[in-house]
Amino acid sequence: MTHHQAEDESRFERGRKALSRIDGKGGEKVVASLADIAPDFARYLIEFPFGDIYCRPGLDLRSREIATIAALTALGNAAPQLKVHVEAGLNVGLTRTEIVEVIMQMAVYAGFPAALNGLFAAKEVFALHEEGSGTEDIARS
């Protein structure tokens, strides 16, 4: 095994662990759903965002999820990913109030439609969270 292969394996393993810790079953379900169409993309999803970026020391996971929830809300076209990251925010210690405030703030920068869509996505996650069904259902929507 070359040094590059060993490095890739450690990125992949590091990413797998981070994905599991942050997104739980929702993230794993997204990766699994790519297996039959784009397994390489699933690997990239594990290695780059989770193995490289999320594991950097400059921000804690709460801060990273605040930024991610804000960005996905502002995009306005990423409701499935936003739902997974609202759940991830709860997993890493964000409160519902903090998540709602982050999404509401996006009305200033991304407009009311994006913020409304984000709030409705969060409302759905919160309802599923109360029912205890977790992110399995969220990742499917």
Side-chain angles (χ1 to χ4, degrees):
M1 183 182 300
T2 67
H3 171 70
H4 188 268
Q5 287 171 321
E7 186 178 298
D8 284 347
E9 287 305 309
S10 78
R11 281 178 76 210
F12 183 78
E13 278 309 309
R14 188 172 60 239
R16 264 284 218 236
K17 289 175 188 167
L19 176 69
S20 180
R21 185 174 66 248
I22 297 161
D23 284 350
K25 292 190 188 312
E28 292 167 12
K29 189 155 188 94
V30 170
V31 169
S33 70
L34 292 168
D36 61 346
I37 188 169
D40 288 345
F41 193 80
R43 185 176 185 90
Y44 303 149
L45 184 64
I46 291 168
E47 289 176 344
F48 180 63
F50 292 95
D52 292 341
I53 301 300
Y54 269 89
C55 290
R56 291 178 57 80
L59 290 174
D60 64 11
L61 291 178
R62 289 179 88 260
S63 299
R64 289 186 187 283
E65 283 306 323
I66 287 170
T68 303
I69 290 167
L72 292 171
T73 298
L75 282 173
N77 62 355
Q81 294 81 16
L82 177 58
K83 290 175 190 177
V84 169
H85 282 280
V86 167
E87 181 72 26
L90 294 171
N91 288 345
V92 300
L94 293 177
T95 66
R96 291 176 183 207
T97 300
E98 289 171 321
I99 291 168
V100 167
E101 288 297 323
V102 168
I103 294 171
M104 285 176 56
Q105 178 142 347
M106 293 307 99
V108 177
Y109 299 97
F112 273 78
L116 282 168
N117 290 342
L119 289 169
F120 289 132
K123 182 178 179 177
E124 186 178 329
V125 173
F126 296 161
L128 288 170
H129 202 261
E130 284 173 7
E131 294 170 13
S133 57
T135 55
E136 291 102 34
D137 295 328
I138 296 165
R140 269 188 251 134
S141 56

